[in-house]
Amino acid sequence: MATGKFFRQITLPEQKSHNDDVLFPAVLSPTCTTAVQLSTFEEAIRAHKPWLESILLNTGAILFRGFPVTSPSDFNDVVEAFGFPEFSYVGGRVPRTQVVGRVYTANESPLHLEVPFHHEMAYNPDFPTKLFFFCDEEPEEGGETPIVLSHIVYEKMKERHPDFVAQLEEHGLMYISIHGDKEDPSSITGSTWMTAYQTDDKNIAEERAVKKGTKLEWMGNTAKLITGPIPAIRFDEASRRKTWFNSLAIAYSLPASERQNVMAELGSGDPVDEDAMKDMWRILKEECVVIPWKKGDVLLVNNLTVLHSRRPLIKPPRRILASLCK
């Protein structure tokens, strides 16, 4: 289907149909079969921005495939063309390195590790509303970025564990994490408090933490970050749906050796139902969409309605970059 003079919607076998046959995610390619210039792509984004935003609202995510985005700098230009304000990653729990402009590395943990499903920075009262991902180096095998509609997870969890979901809605979640003064590159959550708050000054870190709704407790040079209670279920005003807006999958999928460093409990102080967590994982796996990356892909995700993860890389290389927006 051609749209305007530039974009056409295409279908991929991995897409899923939701909400009256709306495909998730939407996939857009150039209408023109001849070579497209990056500047033309940027102009089309600006010209069709309301239409693109309506697609993002209706579907939750847009995969741009076949456009001339070949470098981090190109990706930065695409992000800038959308005009969304940049979101500062202060208070983030994983290391990210600036590549160029608004472009950063994604989770820098070893690529053979899985990153569980989550809404970006759901452990903070303040979080980005939109995420961009860019495939700079296409994986040979594995390393996909699965996505899943959050309202579906909520609805299925409410159906299977109504009492637990009611507790989540009433009490929210308390997030607790331990961060030392040395990075642990072997872990998906092994960042330091200095990385999280972009300073090596404890007083400045405390000030920045407070602005993000987090309390820091010091144990020597190690910081205990306590956030909450904050909502674990959120009502998305645009879609008029409740979403599974939390980081429970991360807290309850870590190896036993790391569980004491990243914790989540009900705002009432009660523990999280372990059986519910097992069902949550099954639902996430069953309902997610997994599209293998291709070089130059740009994925725009509505962080308010879609969770994302990372599958283990089987055969390198893989380089996926990211940009966060308010």
Side-chain angles (χ1 to χ4, degrees):
M1 180 183 74
T3 303
K5 295 181 180 180
F6 192 80
F7 296 102
R8 65 188 178 101
Q9 294 197 49
I10 65 171
T11 59
L12 297 177
E14 297 88 356
Q15 288 170 289
K16 290 190 176 182
S17 179
H18 295 294
N19 307 332
D20 300 324
D21 297 326
V22 173
L23 289 175
F24 173 73
V27 184
L28 300 182
S29 286
T31 300
C32 183
T33 56
T34 59
V36 174
Q37 299 297 315
L38 179 64
S39 59
T40 309
F41 183 28
E42 295 171 47
E43 291 168 7
I45 289 169
R46 288 187 282 265
H48 295 284
K49 185 181 175 183
W51 176 73
L52 292 170
E53 287 186 293
S54 71
I55 291 180
L56 185 65
L57 175 63
N58 290 333
T59 65
I62 304 172
L63 175 63
F64 295 90
R65 174 163 286 180
F67 295 94
V69 188
T70 62
S71 68
S73 179
D74 290 350
F75 175 46
N76 187 70
D77 290 344
V78 169
V79 172
E80 291 282 7
F82 274 91
F84 302 133
E86 184 175 9
F87 183 90
S88 168
Y89 194 61
V90 173
R93 301 291 193 266
V94 300
R96 294 181 188 269
T97 302
Q98 185 179 24
V99 178
V100 59
R102 295 174 56 170
V103 176
Y104 288 77
T105 56
N107 192 305
E108 295 183 0
S109 63
L111 294 175
H112 70 276
L113 299 178
E114 180 174 17
V115 176
F117 281 98
H118 59 286
H119 286 276
E120 193 66 36
M121 298 184 74
Y123 48 76
N124 268 350
D126 187 26
F127 40 79
T129 65
K130 301 174 188 69
L131 318 173
F132 285 93
F133 295 100
F134 165 61
C135 181
D136 191 28
E137 290 185 71
E138 177 181 330
E140 187 170 338
E141 184 179 355
E144 301 95 341
T145 302
I147 53 177
V148 63
L149 288 164
S150 191
H151 75 273
I152 292 176
V153 182
Y154 167 77
E155 289 165 3
K156 289 185 176 290
M157 284 295 291
K158 186 176 181 180
E159 178 183 322
R160 298 182 194 183
H161 297 276
D163 292 341
F164 173 64
V165 172
Q167 286 183 300
L168 281 178
E169 296 201 60
E170 180 179 357
H171 301 293
L173 285 170
M174 183 81 74
Y175 294 100
I176 303 166
S177 58
I178 308 297
H179 299 263
D181 57 357
K182 291 183 174 59
E183 301 281 359
D184 180 3
S186 67
S187 168
I188 66 168
T189 59
S191 66
T192 66
W193 59 267
M194 293 94 85
T195 295
Y197 294 104
Q198 301 175 16
T199 181
D200 58 5
D201 186 307
K202 290 182 178 180
N203 292 325
I204 294 175
E206 288 179 9
E207 292 172 4
R208 291 177 178 174
V210 167
K211 291 179 181 178
K212 295 289 185 179
T214 297
K215 178 183 178 183
L216 266 60
E217 293 183 356
W218 296 102
M219 302 174 288
N221 286 326
T222 295
K224 183 177 184 179
L225 279 58
I226 304 170
T227 309
I230 59 175
I233 308 296
R234 291 187 178 271
F235 181 74
D236 179 57
E237 293 287 349
S239 64
R240 310 299 296 173
R241 291 191 176 101
K242 289 185 177 181
T243 59
W244 189 256
F245 200 93
N246 56 66
S247 297
L248 282 171
I250 292 180
Y252 285 87
S253 64
L254 294 173
S257 60
E258 294 187 38
R259 279 232 185 160
Q260 70 273 16
N261 293 330
V262 179
M263 296 162 276
E265 61 185 31
L266 291 171
S268 59
D270 293 322
V272 169
D273 185 328
E274 294 278 354
D275 289 336
M277 294 298 91
K278 293 175 184 176
D279 268 344
M280 174 191 68
W281 261 108
R282 281 191 284 267
I283 292 167
L284 288 165
K285 298 289 187 182
E286 289 167 2
E287 297 297 333
C288 73
V289 170
V290 185
I291 299 176
W293 285 109
K294 288 188 177 296
K295 166 71 177 175
D297 280 352
V298 174
L299 177 64
L300 172 57
V301 174
N302 183 347
N303 190 47
L304 302 180
T305 60
V306 173
L307 301 103
H308 68 281
S309 68
R310 184 188 75 194
R311 282 190 168 181
L313 181 66
I314 299 171
K315 290 185 180 179
R318 179 192 193 269
R319 193 182 194 220
I320 305 300
L321 303 177
S323 185
L324 312 183
C325 303
K326 292 182 181 177

